[in-house]
Amino acid sequence: MKLSAENQELLDRVYPNGYEVKEKDRYHVLLVKIIKTNGRHNKLQANVQVFNKKDWGELLKQVNNGFNLAAITGYDEFVVIHDPTVQPEPKPIPQPKPKSKPGPKPSGVESHN
């Protein structure tokens, strides 16, 4: 899944060497806690949690029924990193470069064979 630049930056901060989806049959979710500061920018705290299909479904059901995500998880926002029900976009197959063919001989030029 494609993350926004801000969420990708958060994920890179938590996993500087890159995040690897090891359990492909589970939901991988980036949870974000917004910590209010007196300054101009809020502080963001991120964590990745892995959910099985049942637990993820229960969490979404609670959120959709009006429960506050922060009350359930302790985090303010979430972004799905990996959804096992969505097939990844296929990588494009590299096309071979066409081989250049010799063009016609220029007129008026004799070959010296």
Side-chain angles (χ1 to χ4, degrees):
M1 301 196 109
K2 184 85 168 141
L3 297 178
S4 70
E6 181 182 32
N7 289 328
Q8 185 64 53
E9 185 179 311
L10 279 171
L11 186 62
D12 291 343
R13 238 187 317 153
V14 176
Y15 293 93
N17 295 328
Y19 183 77
E20 181 182 346
V21 176
K22 293 181 182 174
E23 300 174 77
K24 298 197 184 291
D25 62 333
R26 297 180 181 258
Y27 289 88
H28 296 248
V29 181
L30 177 68
L31 296 167
V32 181
K33 183 174 186 77
I34 302 170
I35 302 167
K36 304 284 184 192
T37 63
N38 293 334
R40 192 170 178 189
H41 300 286
N42 293 328
K43 187 175 178 183
L44 301 177
Q45 180 182 10
N47 183 25
V48 175
Q49 288 191 5
V50 179
F51 294 90
N52 63 33
K53 292 179 184 182
K54 180 183 175 199
D55 290 342
W56 180 244
E58 287 296 319
L59 177 69
L60 286 182
K61 186 190 300 184
Q62 290 176 345
V63 170
N64 291 334
N65 286 334
F67 287 92
N68 186 326
L69 180 67
I72 301 168
T73 64
Y75 290 88
D76 300 303
E77 298 176 356
F78 69 88
V79 180
V80 177
I81 299 170
H82 172 74
D83 183 341
T85 63
V86 175
Q87 293 297 321
E89 293 181 17
K91 293 182 180 179
I93 299 170
Q95 298 296 322
K97 293 181 181 180
K99 294 180 181 178
S100 58
K101 297 179 182 176
K105 291 182 181 178
S107 60
V109 176
E110 296 178 23
S111 62
H112 299 281
N113 290 347

